[in-house]
Amino acid sequence: MSTWEKNIRKVVPYTPGEQPNEKNMIKLNTNENPYPPSPKVLAAKEDLEQLRLYPDPVAKDLVHALADYHGLSDDQIFVGVGSDDVLAMSFLTFFNSDKPIFFPDITYSFYDVWADLFRIPYETKALNDAFEIEAEDYYPENGGVIFPNPNAPTGLLADLGFVRDVLDHNRDVIVIVDEAYIDFGGESAISLLPGYENLIVVRTFSKSRSLAGLRIGYAMGNPKLIKALNDVKYSYNSYTMNYPSIVLGVESIRDDAYFKETVSKIIATREWFEKELTRLGFTYPKSYSNFVFASHKSVPAREIFEEAKKKHIYVRYFDKPRINQYLRITIGTDEEMKAVVSFLEEIL
Ligand code: PMP
């Protein structure tokens, strides 16, 4: 190996779900929202001449709209290019101890990638047999804690008592709750922010706000933590939020009625789909997200996954220990889910 090769940083990257682009496909593999963004977003007037200028580095309008929406102050909000960017910045900013950070063994598969990239030691904690996170696993000394709530890809929700329990046993490190899916049925940890100055809550516009393509995520926490995040961001890339994201993000926040309507449609479809899955012989943890994590009693998950693909139905399959008998199926429109049920009836 040549010397220059030895100097290259070697990482095993995160593998995102496939992004096929076929006519008439049913795409249920990356937890996107099946409904279009709010009509207010679609009708927003952007002054594209503004693109000549650098965007507002503090994304003040978006930060202010989010602060207002959540009843927080502007200095409690940090925005980034999708929650992936916000989470990566948070790893870089908050996880600087020699002690390992803790996260579940079955969880968002980007966490170990960031830990490796930033050379952060970590330990994973096994979910129990019901796929629940055990609070006691997070009691021992550590360099920080992160978990999604609801967890992905299981869709299981932990209640606020659990979150409080983890926080009470981790007063000296940063605890990050990744709430990418919280709008689909959970109680947010935002209400715990006043009591815990070491808590960071992360959200995204990609799922419940139908804006995966725009890339907006945000973190909420006490002003000291938000300042630390901004200091790291400005040491890396000052202009992360582009002008259209700022304008359209604000419009999305303004249309709360549409947001609530689409979220409740997805929840209703999910409940119908769960019943259908039961009828077809699947088991799954009760979902609190916009996907269901389901396993069939006799047909291997991989087989269903491959057959579905042939019919242009895309779902997510993880070839990993403990979960290789499960499919993660995003909730689409009623029509899409009916087509999935017909497909399942046929192949089972
Ligand atoms: N957290 C979790 C748990 C996720 O599943 C995802 C979606 N892949 C993200 C964060 C990142 O989403 P985005 O970058 O689109 O905000």
Side-chain angles (χ1 to χ4, degrees), residues 206-228:
S206 298
K207 323 289 179 181
S208 52
R209 294 192 175 276
S210 306
L211 288 171
L214 201 53
R215 312 304 298 128
I216 303 179
Y218 58 107
M220 294 165 277
N222 97 62
K224 259 196 230 162
L225 300 186
I226 298 304
K227 180 178 182 312

Side-chain angles (χ1 to χ4, degrees), residues 31 83 87 91 102-111 114 125 127 131-133 138 145-159 162-163 166 175-182 187 189 200-203 288-289 291:
N31 297 340
S83 54
L87 289 164
F91 270 58
F102 291 172
F103 51 83
D105 64 339
I106 299 169
T107 195
Y108 186 31
S109 46
F110 224 139
Y111 297 162
W114 286 315
K125 302 289 172 184
L127 298 184
F131 285 153
E132 291 155 340
I133 307 175
Y138 297 80
V145 171
I146 177 160
F147 58 88
N149 196 30
N151 195 8
T154 61
L156 249 83
L157 180 77
D159 62 22
F162 165 91
V163 182
V166 171
V175 175
I176 303 175
V177 184
D178 176 354
E179 292 192 339
Y181 302 101
I182 197 76
E187 204 181 339
I200 285 279
V201 179
V202 176
R203 292 275 189 97
Y288 289 86
S289 59
F291 55 84

Side-chain angles (χ1 to χ4, degrees), residues 215-327:
R215 312 304 298 128
I216 303 179
Y218 58 107
M220 294 165 277
N222 97 62
K224 259 196 230 162
L225 300 186
I226 298 304
K227 180 178 182 312
L229 272 172
N230 274 313
D231 287 348
V232 168
K233 171 200 139 151
Y234 291 126
S235 312
Y236 187 79
N237 178 1
S238 327
Y239 301 108
T240 51
M241 303 306 290
N242 63 51
Y243 166 73
S245 295
I246 297 172
V247 174
L248 301 179
V250 170
E251 290 303 325
S252 167
I253 296 292
R254 283 192 184 142
D255 197 353
D256 204 38
Y258 181 84
F259 164 76
K260 292 203 169 104
E261 183 195 323
T262 43
V263 164
S264 53
K265 275 206 276 196
I266 290 167
I267 293 172
T269 308
R270 178 185 74 203
E271 288 181 355
W272 173 83
F273 184 63
E274 282 184 335
K275 284 193 199 116
E276 290 296 296
L277 284 176
T278 306
R279 178 175 70 77
L280 293 166
F282 284 89
T283 50
Y284 49 86
K286 165 97 202 88
S287 170
Y288 289 86
S289 59
N290 67 338
F291 55 84
V292 182
F293 196 54
S295 176
H296 193 263
K297 59 178 191 263
S298 52
V299 185
R302 181 194 283 278
E303 231 169 87
I304 303 175
F305 168 73
E306 303 284 357
E307 285 304 312
K309 216 190 237 190
K310 289 183 198 157
K311 296 272 160 64
H312 310 279
I313 298 173
Y314 291 86
V315 298
R316 191 89 193 257
Y317 172 70
F318 300 94
D319 193 4
K320 287 186 176 171
R322 292 185 75 192
I323 57 170
N324 58 8
Q325 275 318 323
Y326 284 81
L327 295 171

